[in-house]
Amino acid sequence: MGSEITGTAREESGLGLVQRVAAAAPPLVPRLNRVMAGQMAAGEYVAPSYAVFCSPRRVRFLEMEYAVPRAALGDAFAGLRAAAARHAADVAFPVEVRVLGGDDIGLSTAYGRDTAYLAVHVHARRPHEAYFGAVESVLSALDGRPHWGKLHTRTAAQLRPRYPRFDAFVAARDRLDPEGRFRNPYLDRVLGVPCTSTP
C-alpha cells in the first residue's frame, strides 16, 4: 500500500500545470491545494516496491523528509501546519506522510521505534530555506531523524545522540575505509571526518 506525489504522465502534467499557475498567481494557491487534495483521495493498492515508488519525475522539486516517533505524529502535524502557515502559503505541493514499523538497522531512520515520516516539497526554482528551516526545527525537536538522502542541515554532532549505534557505524567505516576513499563533503558533515584521514 502506498501513494506518491507523482506517478502517471497525466498526474505529472497536472502537477506541472499547478506549479505554473501557482507561480503566476500565488493568491490562487489555497484553492489549487484544495483541488489537488481532492484529486488525491485515499486509495490503496498492492504492488512490488519498484512498481510503486519508481516513477518519472518531470516536475523538478526540492524535498526534505524527517522521521519522528509515530507517537509524535500529532505534534509533528501541528508544528508543520504552523511552519507552513508562516513560510509556505504559496507552496503548491502536498505534504507526504507515511508510517513504518521499527527495525534493527543501525543507521535506519526507523531504528528501534515505530516511525512516522513527513516530507515537504517546493518547486526547484523557488526559495526553500525559510520553510524547510522551520519544518526542520519542529521535527528535530520531536527527536526527528532526517532522511539521509534528502535536504537537511544536521551534522554528526547533532545526529549521534539520535542513533544508539552511530559510533559503531563510524568505527566500521574507519576500519573498512582507512584511506577515506569514499569520503565526500556531505558524509564528512553527517558522519564526521574519519580520524585516520586528513581533510
Side-chain angles (χ1 to χ4, degrees), residues 25-96:
L28 294 178
V29 167
R31 187 178 304 162
L32 292 168
N33 284 341
R34 285 192 295 275
V35 170
M36 281 198 325
Q39 299 300 313
M40 298 177 151
E44 294 186 16
Y45 50 90
V46 176
S49 61
Y50 64 82
V52 174
F53 295 115
C54 296
S55 59
R57 302 297 182 147
R58 295 177 184 91
V59 177
R60 294 289 167 217
F61 57 86
L62 303 174
E63 179 176 4
M64 182 175 67
E65 182 176 65
Y66 260 76
V68 299
R70 191 180 298 180
L73 183 55
D75 291 336
F77 267 134
L80 199 149
R81 280 181 187 269
R86 287 192 312 272
H87 302 289
D90 60 346
V91 171
F93 270 93
V95 172
E96 281 187 38

